[in-house]
Every structure is written in C-alpha cells, then in structure tokens.
Amino acid sequence: MSSQTKTYTGGCHCGAIRYSVDLDLSPETNASKCNCSMCLKTNRLSVQVPHPDSQFKLLSPTALSSVPEYQFGSKAQHYHFCDKCGIHVFAYGSYVWEGQEVKNWSINAVTLDPDQGVDLRAFKMGYWDGKEGNWEAGMGEKPYPGGSY
Ligand SMILES: [Zn+2]
C-alpha cells in the first residue's frame, strides 16, 4: 500500500448507503469509464479497490445483502445502488482473463464525499471498450465509439 493511502468516506445521495475505503487518491489516480450499456447509462467513474476485504468497509447498511443490486447479461457483476435516491455506489464481480478468473471491486468515485482533498479532475482517465467486449484492446486515452467522457 502506498504511503499516500488514506481512509476516505463516501455514499449515495440520501445517505442510506455509506462506506469507507482505504485508497491512494493522490493526483494521477487511475480511473476509468467504459462504453458498455451499464457504465454508459450510469456514467460511472470507476476506481478499482484491489483488496476490498481489507480496504472497503460498508458502514450503512451493515450487511451487503441489504444493499439493492442490479445484474444483467451474464450476471457476473453486481451493481449496487440506492433504491431511495438512485445513486450507483459500487460494483463487484469476476471475469475471465486469459483463462483465469479475476475478481474485481470498484467504487463509483463520484460518490466519494466532497471536501476530503480529492481532486477528481486530476485522475488519470482511461476508457474501456466494454460495448464490444474488447478488453484485449486495453484502456484508451479517449472513449471508444459509443462511449462518453
Ligand atoms: Zn440513497
């Protein structure tokens, strides 16, 4: 863990969902957007949490099973959102990469509480071509067709 790692808090708009996360969110933090049907409509600003068991704490509600979730397609991903205010807060799941199952966990970084010294504008943005499932292409410097900044 980097020396810049701090504990940040965040949540949905109405406060029903609250979390804390230990991350290095200094300038040049790697963040991504994706042009898949879900990322596009939520305009999610994804920041990966590599070790959610130790880095991510759900503060409210107390059980993950109490946070509404949405799944679609292969249902490999769980998109958690607030059923009161509608904000998408975090997502997790797994995918297969070169024959191996990889687990992923990300926060929607725009749900971080303001005034914690995080400058979202300084994030180093990358863009995925999830619409075409073209993960091999890697992150581009601008959105793939169908995506948005
Ligand atoms: Zn809410």
Side-chain angles (χ1 to χ4, degrees), residues 56-111:
F56 184 92
K57 270 197 205 82
L58 188 63
L59 305 174
S60 170
T62 47
L64 187 59
S65 58
S66 303
V67 185
E69 71 170 24
Y70 175 69
Q71 292 187 287
F72 68 98
S74 67
K75 302 200 171 168
Q77 297 293 319
H78 304 252
Y79 295 92
H80 286 275
F81 64 93
C82 177
D83 60 3
K84 240 186 253 171
C85 69
I87 302 299
H88 162 58
V89 183
F90 60 93
Y92 65 90
S94 63
Y95 58 93
V96 176
W97 178 255
E98 293 179 341
Q100 302 270 20
E101 188 193 25
V102 181
K103 290 190 173 188
N104 62 287
W105 187 296
S106 63
I107 57 165
N108 184 11
V110 291
T111 65

